[in-house]
Amino acid sequence: MTKCVIALDAGTTGVRSRAVFTDDTSTVASYREFTQHYPQPGWVEHDVNEIWGAAVATLNAVIEQVGRESVAAIGITNQRETVVAWNRSTGEPYGTAIVWQDRRTANRCDELAAAGHLDLVRERTGLVLDPYFSGTKFEWLLRERDIPVDDDLALGTIDAWLIWNLTGGEVFATDVTNASRTMLCDIRTRTWDPDLCALLNVPMSALPDIVPSSGRIGVTSEHCGISADIPVSGVAGDQQAALFGQACVEPGMAKNTYGTGSFVLLNVGETCPPPTEGMLTTVAWTLADGTTHYALEGAIFVTGAAIQWLRDGLNIIDDAAESGPLAESVDDTGGVYFVPALAGLGSPWWDPYARGTIVGITRGTGRAEITRATVESMAYQTRDVVDAMVAASGTSLKELRVDGGASIMDFLCQIQADQLGVDVLRPVDQETTALGAAFLAGLAEGVWASPEEVLAQWSLDASFSPIEDRTGANAQHAQWLRAVGRSRGWAH
């Protein structure tokens, strides 16, 4: 019987469950969106019970189609930095989750920086003081929602919430990649750091156990709503999972995922590098044998989310799939630049007070020009990150592997190649986040014998080479940087 691993991909806007087979069997998948809540400007929240309901529904849909006997394991990948607090006795959350995009703790991050704590955070965690990360969100939840700090308190990211529910409350754990994004984890020892927990007033007793990204964590409970006794054997934050799914297992290999945001990760091997200006240092994965790889990361907060805003906020398009053809319907933007700092700016700027800015509008500007400017902004933001990454590491980028929803656009991939001056490679299977989660779980259960066997499954769909004369591309990027300057520091 052909075995499969089900990847449970809990993203920012929806949950997808997908069966990844060991042979050429066609994939089976199920998807369900969940609600985005915006209670105040700059605030973003999710109902985690709705997320769990979507997980159960999509898992059951896939298991029903492939048959329980075919399922070797479940691998989890998730939106990182989103936090939830719940009661371990009742299983009920203490209100909504605070999403990674949320900016409500910007002032607190400023206070910590002013008090001189940035160097400690950078050295221990590889991160910066920014509301993007989980630590100040945990602190806000405990303070503002008056949550009781007792033996029943659980504080975790979405992977911990899913593991808890899948195992019927038997396992309270997070993997090392998600832990490395909390601003509470020492990424060299891969343990919770008591100094950082004390700094942010987060009780260590309420935090989950930190486990490897590949290795059996537990099994599904008969009470969880899906079939019982399925091993849960792989967990990784979405961007680390995509790095593994893109076969970037050797130092110097890099990928970019165009999702709600975009994330460029460069594998730097088994030695944790020192803090790098403008970049994040993060754990790429830890395998069952203890092998750990680190990565440099550039985090771009809004790319695909800007397309959603065109659809839901401006009603410029009816469907996200229209954005590519509409952008290509005009030769250029007519001088329009859109900086989609709808949730501040991430790498390399790290400016939570930046706000979305459209400049260069004339009477001739229409929906096509604004849509094209939105698509182009994805490539410009990626170049900003890569330029900073190359400058900081001294390592030239030889190629960029791309995935995520927007990577299906040849138009975007070609612009990206022109902006970077390197080949852009798109794999046949672009859902590399799910692939990475499945591969990590499958390795733990012997579905795939080795990382080499997993990597042999990567295959090229299309390659995009840059234009020889990049004068025009460089001029466009220079104008883009002017627009970025207009957006920065706008909010107070």
Side-chain angles (χ1 to χ4, degrees):
M1 178 181 296
T2 301
K3 287 290 186 178
C4 71
V5 178
I6 298 179
L8 175 60
D9 184 353
T12 306
T13 56
V15 175
R16 181 184 304 276
S17 291
R18 177 188 169 184
V20 177
F21 292 89
T22 56
D23 60 13
D24 294 330
T25 302
S26 297
T27 189
V28 174
S30 176
Y31 179 74
R32 179 173 292 191
E33 283 193 359
F34 52 79
T35 310
Q36 308 295 303
H37 300 276
Y38 307 101
Q40 294 186 33
W43 290 27
V44 190
E45 298 179 357
H46 289 158
D47 180 340
V48 290
N49 282 327
E50 187 181 4
I51 292 175
W52 171 240
V56 170
T58 57
L59 283 169
N60 279 330
V62 172
I63 293 170
E64 182 179 351
Q65 291 182 72
V66 303
R68 165 64 184 89
E69 63 280 3
S70 296
V71 182
I74 293 172
I76 297 172
T77 182
N78 57 285
Q79 51 167 312
R80 305 171 302 172
E81 298 93 19
T82 296
V83 302
V84 56
W86 71 94
N87 185 295
R88 287 190 240 188
S89 291
T90 66
E92 287 300 309
Y94 290 109
T96 52
I98 302 179
V99 180
W100 61 271
Q101 298 163 312
D102 192 280
R103 305 276 91 190
R104 74 186 67 185
T105 62
N107 287 339
R108 174 58 172 150
C109 291
D110 289 344
E111 292 174 0
L112 292 166
H117 297 299
L118 177 59
D119 288 345
L120 172 66
V121 171
R122 290 285 282 146
E123 178 60 30
R124 300 276 176 91
T125 72
L127 308 178
V128 296
L129 281 167
D130 191 89
Y132 172 39
F133 304 108
S134 307
T136 53
K137 295 182 174 74
F138 284 135
E139 183 185 42
W140 189 96
L141 280 176
L142 294 175
R143 183 181 68 245
E144 298 299 327
R145 292 186 180 169
D146 197 26
I147 295 172
V149 178
D150 53 28
D151 291 341
D152 289 330
L153 174 62
L155 297 172
T157 44
I158 294 297
D159 62 312
W161 170 249
L162 293 173
I163 292 167
W164 171 268
N165 282 284
L166 285 168
T167 62
E170 290 296 316
V171 179
F172 182 40
T174 186
D175 98 292
V176 64
T177 68
N178 280 288
S180 74
R181 311 295 294 187
T182 60
M183 217 156 63
L184 300 172
C185 176
D186 185 322
I187 59 173
R188 290 173 180 81
T189 64
R190 299 179 295 284
T191 59
W192 299 121
D193 187 282
D195 295 333
L196 294 172
C197 288
L199 177 65
L200 296 177
N201 304 299
V202 176
M204 291 180 65
S205 61
L207 295 172
D209 296 331
I210 300 176
V211 299
S213 313
S214 181
R216 184 176 291 195
I217 300 166
V219 297
T220 56
S221 165
E222 62 181 342
H223 305 297
C224 76
I226 66 169
S227 299
D229 298 320
I230 300 175
V232 180
S233 303
V235 183
D238 50 10
Q239 303 314 316
Q240 288 95 332
L243 188 69
F244 199 77
Q246 277 279 35
C248 295
V249 297
E250 298 296 333
M253 301 182 73
K255 71 89 196 175
N256 187 24
T257 297
Y258 302 92
T260 302
S262 286
F263 299 85
V264 183
L265 268 71
L266 172 69
N267 186 332
V268 294
E270 297 183 45
T271 301
C272 183
T276 303
E277 189 64 32
M279 293 294 105
L280 308 176
T281 306
T282 192
V283 178
W285 52 72
T286 296
L287 301 182
D289 64 2
T291 300
T292 298
H293 276 222
Y294 293 90
L296 287 181
E297 175 175 334
I300 302 166
F301 294 156
V302 174
T303 52
I307 299 293
Q308 291 179 322
W309 179 66
L310 296 184
R311 180 192 66 187
D312 303 332
L314 296 186
N315 297 317
I316 284 179
I317 55 176
D318 295 322
D319 188 274
E322 296 176 27
S323 56
L326 182 58
E328 286 190 84
S329 70
V330 291
D331 293 332
D332 54 52
T333 67
V336 173
Y337 290 82
F338 174 27
V339 183
L342 309 181
L345 285 172
S347 303
W349 315 107
W350 295 109
D351 184 354
Y353 302 106
R355 288 294 179 267
T357 305
I358 303 177
V359 297
I361 296 174
T362 66
R363 183 63 183 84
T365 301
R367 54 195 290 266
E369 286 78 12
I370 291 177
T371 302
R372 183 177 177 114
T374 304
V375 174
E376 288 185 357
S377 74
M378 299 182 190
Y380 295 140
Q381 290 182 98
T382 300
R383 175 171 173 174
D384 291 344
V385 166
V386 169
D387 285 352
M389 192 176 285
V390 168
S393 67
T395 302
S396 297
L397 194 71
K398 295 182 179 179
E399 64 182 32
L400 182 70
R401 297 189 174 191
V402 298
D403 56 73
S407 67
I408 197 172
M409 289 190 282
D410 290 354
F411 169 62
L412 171 60
C413 292
Q414 185 58 58
I415 293 174
Q416 191 69 83
D418 294 342
Q419 284 294 321
L420 294 178
V422 299
D423 289 348
V424 169
L425 307 182
R426 184 177 65 205
V428 170
D429 193 332
Q430 296 168 40
E431 293 182 2
T432 55
T433 301
L435 286 178
F439 290 157
L440 289 166
L443 280 174
E445 297 297 329
V447 176
W448 291 282
S450 66
E452 289 73 24
E453 188 175 318
V454 166
L455 303 180
Q457 300 199 195
W458 191 92
S459 57
L460 179 67
D461 170 56
S463 176
F464 302 86
S465 298
I467 55 175
E468 292 186 10
D469 184 359
R470 296 178 60 223
T471 303
N474 290 335
Q476 290 171 333
H477 184 249
Q479 284 290 88
W480 155 262
L481 292 177
R482 290 184 64 209
V484 170
R486 303 292 196 275
S487 75
R488 297 194 60 194
W490 183 261
H492 299 285

